[in-house]
Amino acid sequence: MPNCQPKWILSLAFGSIFPLFLLCFTTIASFNGVPLLLLYRFSAIGRSSYHFVENQLKPIPVSTHITISTPPSPPRFAYLISGSAGNDYKVFKEVGNVRMIMKANLVTYRGCTMVANTLHAAAIMLREGGNWDWFINLSASDYPLVTQDDLLHIFSYVPRDLNFIDHTSKMGWKAGQRAKPVIIDPALHNSKKAEVFWITQRRSIPTAFKLFTGSAWMALSRPFVDYCIWGWDNLPRKVLMYYTNFLSSPEGYFHTVICNAKAFSNTTVNNDLHFILWDNPPKQHPRRLTLSHMQRMLNSNAPFARKFHQNSRVLDKIDTDLLSRGEEMFTPGGWCVGSGENGTDPCSVVGTPTVLRPGPGAKRLQTLINSLLSNDNFRLRQCK
């Protein structure tokens, strides 16, 4: 996994200062030592003011169609991003949105410690991150296809208990190669990195809950993240214990929890908000995206895409054509009030953080969301 370069951070982190704050995690290190980044909005609201939502969830309409009218207040996103530390920018210091935690935890690729660290990050954001609405996990191989103002504008109209998570109960080849083998993640007990290893005994498919699988990338609602952490009916912990010995557990843990939890199974939107080109079956490894894939990315209407080579020319094309971002500058948004004179970054001067300036990307994203929430897609594709 490539390091999270300033280009990535500048493209995503400051589409709108109000809903996004950046917490640089060197505490969560991957198999190859790459730490993770958290983006969240800080608030004085503490954990004690947030109540369980099990009995507060309301049925979601069968079809929700986004019509742009007088915009409601923008949502707040909490981003978990894998990448490197040391993003020392003046605007970061001015807004106070970078925090460093220096103790590293080892993470094994394809091991359960990947899920453990995602839950760790989510727990910290619930405790310290304020009143955010969605938790979005990304990697340094992802890149935005819309500005943060585009994303915030459209998600202002989306019900905030929806969970965007690609999922299916059709395990296919994964039943024999993922569910039945038993693996051990060495990062659970070793201080040095190592690959996962298998034990000879195999196990049967569980009957206490139904297995689901899907994409490891998702946008989860705060109520569901809160449920995964606190698990008042014990389902999240029980499923987590099962996935401790499951290969590539990020592709199944949250999917299995949400579809087996009655309070949340009707909140799923079957999409990961990404454009991804997979290899030939069994579709385990995404292809690297290039300039030749630019139109397909646009046609997908997705807000994110992956994977990219570091410093690929297609990233420059995305910056110029989709994000209107200058070299070594932040992606412009309504909060940028600098003059831009003499080639300076207008976003180096922070204005009103709640002002949004959506562009063409908002139209594309609106098309996607309307399709996902239509009668043909929404209910018919939930936890099937």
Side-chain angles (χ1 to χ4, degrees):
M1 180 184 297
N3 283 346
C4 187
Q5 298 298 315
K7 181 184 187 69
W8 205 111
I9 296 297
L10 298 177
S11 297
L12 173 66
F14 288 90
S16 176
I17 295 291
F18 180 69
L20 299 178
F21 274 69
L22 179 67
L23 174 58
C24 296
F25 252 78
T26 55
T27 62
I28 307 178
S30 71
F31 176 81
N32 58 2
V34 178
L36 300 178
L37 304 177
L38 278 174
L39 286 80
Y40 69 98
R41 176 180 182 271
F42 179 79
S43 170
I45 300 174
R47 174 65 186 88
S48 60
S49 65
Y50 191 78
H51 302 285
F52 291 135
V53 295
E54 184 177 30
N55 297 321
Q56 300 175 14
L57 293 177
K58 298 179 180 179
I60 299 173
V62 172
S63 178
T64 303
H65 188 82
I66 295 177
T67 302
I68 304 302
S69 56
T70 303
S73 60
R76 298 162 174 86
F77 298 127
Y79 284 94
L80 169 62
I81 305 174
S82 60
S84 64
N87 297 282
D88 186 19
Y89 290 91
K90 178 182 177 181
V91 69
F92 285 12
K93 295 179 179 179
E94 180 180 345
V95 181
N97 64 339
V98 176
R99 294 183 55 194
M100 302 292 297
I101 300 179
M102 303 305 298
K103 183 180 178 182
N105 294 326
L106 193 63
V107 174
T108 305
Y109 174 62
R110 299 193 301 172
C112 65
T113 45
M114 296 180 70
V115 169
N117 278 327
T118 300
L119 292 171
H120 179 200
I124 291 175
M125 286 189 284
L126 286 172
R127 180 181 178 182
E128 303 177 5
N131 192 27
W132 50 268
D133 299 293
W134 277 286
F135 172 95
I136 302 176
N137 69 322
L138 301 168
S139 82
S141 296
D142 296 56
Y143 210 70
L145 301 179
V146 300
T147 69
Q148 282 298 289
D149 281 15
D150 294 336
L151 196 65
L152 291 164
H153 178 63
I154 295 303
F155 269 75
S156 297
Y157 302 89
V158 176
R160 298 187 184 183
D161 51 359
L162 291 182
N163 292 275
F164 293 81
I165 178 169
D166 170 78
H167 61 281
T168 180
S169 63
K170 297 177 181 178
M171 297 293 292
W173 62 269
K174 291 184 179 181
Q177 298 184 33
R178 297 276 179 87
K180 293 182 179 180
V182 178
I183 64 103
I184 303 295
D185 185 340
L188 290 174
H189 57 274
N190 286 340
S191 59
K192 295 183 179 180
K193 63 182 181 181
E195 292 284 359
V196 298
F197 59 91
W198 282 255
I199 65 173
T200 56
Q201 185 176 355
R202 292 167 66 89
R203 59 183 176 180
S204 60
I205 300 295
T207 57
F209 47 83
K210 187 176 183 179
L211 291 184
F212 285 80
T213 188
S215 172
W217 316 105
M218 56 201 72
L220 303 178
S221 69
R222 185 185 181 110
F224 178 63
V225 172
D226 191 77
Y227 171 71
C228 288
I229 297 300
W230 290 94
W232 48 82
D233 64 357
N234 207 40
L235 175 66
R237 280 181 288 273
K238 182 166 62 174
V239 174
L240 182 62
M241 294 296 288
Y242 170 80
Y243 275 95
T244 299
N245 304 113
F246 192 101
L247 190 67
S248 298
S249 53
E251 297 177 6
Y253 171 71
F254 293 101
H255 318 68
T256 297
V257 171
I258 199 167
C259 284
N260 283 273
K262 292 182 179 179
F264 296 98
S265 60
N266 75 328
T267 67
T268 60
V269 181
N270 204 335
N271 189 275
D272 62 4
L273 302 179
H274 275 68
F275 173 79
I276 304 175
L277 275 183
W278 292 99
D279 60 357
N280 293 329
K283 296 186 177 181
Q284 295 189 72
H285 304 288
R287 296 176 179 174
R288 298 284 180 173
L289 300 176
T290 66
L291 284 170
S292 65
H293 303 119
M294 190 71 181
Q295 191 59 50
R296 294 177 67 179
M297 284 188 269
L298 281 173
N299 293 343
S300 74
N301 297 320
F304 304 102
R306 70 185 317 268
K307 279 184 168 183
F308 295 93
H309 285 293
Q310 186 174 328
N311 298 323
S312 171
R313 288 189 302 162
V314 70
L315 299 180
D316 296 328
K317 182 74 169 175
I318 292 171
D319 282 347
T320 302
D321 292 4
L322 304 186
L323 305 181
S324 301
R325 173 180 171 263
E327 186 176 357
E328 295 300 318
M329 294 184 182
F330 290 97
T331 298
W335 57 277
C336 305
V337 294
S339 64
E341 294 180 352
N342 300 319
T344 60
D345 187 351
C347 298
S348 62
V349 181
V350 179
T352 304
T354 55
V355 174
L356 301 181
R357 193 173 63 201
K363 286 288 187 182
R364 298 197 307 272
L365 183 57
Q366 180 183 356
T367 299
L368 173 66
I369 298 299
N370 279 339
S371 174
L372 293 176
L373 300 183
S374 68
N375 287 328
D376 294 334
N377 288 317
F378 184 36
R379 290 294 187 208
L380 297 178
R381 300 181 62 209
Q382 287 184 322
C383 296
K384 302 298 185 181

